[in-house]
Amino acid sequence: MPTIYAATTDRDINSGIQSSWSGARDASTGTLGGSASDSSEGFAAGALAFSGRGSTTYKVNRSFFHFDTSGITGTVSSATLKIYFLTDVNDGNVIIIKSDAFTGGSNALVADDFNNLDFSTPYSGEVDTTTAGLTNITLNATALTDIKNNNDFKFAVVNFDYDYGGGSGTAPSTSNYVGLRFADYSGTSSDPQIDYTLQTGYANNVIGISSANIGKVNGVATANIEKVIGV
């Protein structure tokens, strides 16, 4: 099972403190966290609320990742994203969603990438981050297709309950966040990485039946078939 690692341009962006939840979640630009060579971030993905003598204020943190998938041309049958999460606070669970960030030179992340993501295209389900360490995240069929078809596989890690679910307008009453390690962390064992498997044999439907449900065609195992009547 081959493994690819995230580019060291991965980084977090936050909205800055805003007077309203919508102002934080829907900000058109943000503030780059730390430096491009940061190895980890304690507020990597979160929906934060700050209450004091005045009204409550808010901030959203998101982390962005970029993988070079130009060498993957076959059909990807499965892929597992691995991210090393740190301390989880309150509802710190996350979700992986599609992004077109890294619009700076040499695929650098820029402040305007804060909102350069697609909430309508999740690449995973809710990810439980309550246990610190390297977490396995199963990528869905949409992600598998994008890994195969695109030279660059980009995504954002965002808070699940409030940022991803924030379209309903529900604001957090407390700060909810999780930390993680970036690709600049020493060594590769805890770097963001993807293990993937390429499909072998015939990968198309036959008379409307998915190849996954076909064992043989005319007595020949599908694993040994490249084409059926030229297709």
Side-chain angles (χ1 to χ4, degrees):
M1 181 180 295
T3 300
I4 55 176
Y5 295 89
T8 55
T9 50
D10 54 0
R11 198 171 179 182
D12 64 295
I13 310 177
N14 68 77
S15 65
I17 296 178
Q18 305 294 329
S19 60
S20 68
W21 170 241
S22 61
R25 182 179 182 270
D26 301 329
S28 60
T29 189
T31 300
L32 291 166
S35 69
S37 60
D38 278 356
S39 61
S40 64
E41 170 56 53
F43 297 88
L48 288 76
F50 308 96
S51 57
R53 293 182 179 179
S55 59
T56 302
T57 55
Y58 303 93
K59 183 167 73 169
V60 170
N61 293 63
R62 298 166 179 163
S63 289
F64 296 81
F65 297 85
H66 167 218
F67 285 77
D68 180 357
T69 51
S70 59
I72 302 175
T73 57
T75 298
V76 181
S77 60
S78 65
T80 301
L81 169 66
K82 298 180 180 181
I83 294 179
Y84 195 107
F85 290 106
L86 306 173
T87 303
D88 171 297
V89 175
N90 296 323
D91 292 328
N93 285 3
V94 301
I95 189 169
I96 314 302
I97 64 174
K98 185 174 183 175
S99 171
D100 290 318
F102 301 93
T103 57
S106 300
N107 285 318
L109 196 65
V110 297
D112 285 350
D113 285 328
F114 175 78
N115 210 25
N116 201 349
L117 38 69
D118 184 357
F119 284 102
S120 68
T121 308
Y123 280 154
S124 75
E126 180 178 4
V127 180
D128 185 349
T129 61
T130 54
T131 301
L134 200 64
T135 299
N136 291 346
I137 303 167
T138 300
L139 297 178
N140 61 25
T142 302
L144 302 187
T145 299
D146 285 350
I147 289 172
K148 173 191 174 183
N149 293 339
N150 301 324
N151 289 332
D152 302 286
F153 181 61
K154 305 174 183 179
F155 59 83
V157 178
V158 304
N159 176 267
F160 180 81
D161 285 321
Y162 298 100
D163 195 2
Y164 178 69
S168 62
T170 302
S173 58
T174 59
S175 290
N176 312 269
Y177 58 89
V178 68
L180 58 77
R181 289 179 179 175
F182 292 119
D184 280 301
Y185 196 86
S186 179
T188 59
S189 61
S190 64
D191 284 356
Q193 56 197 268
I194 295 175
D195 293 339
Y196 67 93
T197 300
L198 294 179
Q199 182 169 311
T200 58
Y202 193 69
N204 296 301
N205 293 346
V206 177
I207 317 177
I209 300 175
S210 169
S211 62
N213 297 317
I214 302 173
K216 295 180 179 181
V217 177
N218 289 338
V220 181
T222 53
N224 298 319
I225 299 174
E226 292 185 357
K227 294 183 179 180
V228 175
I229 315 178
V231 180

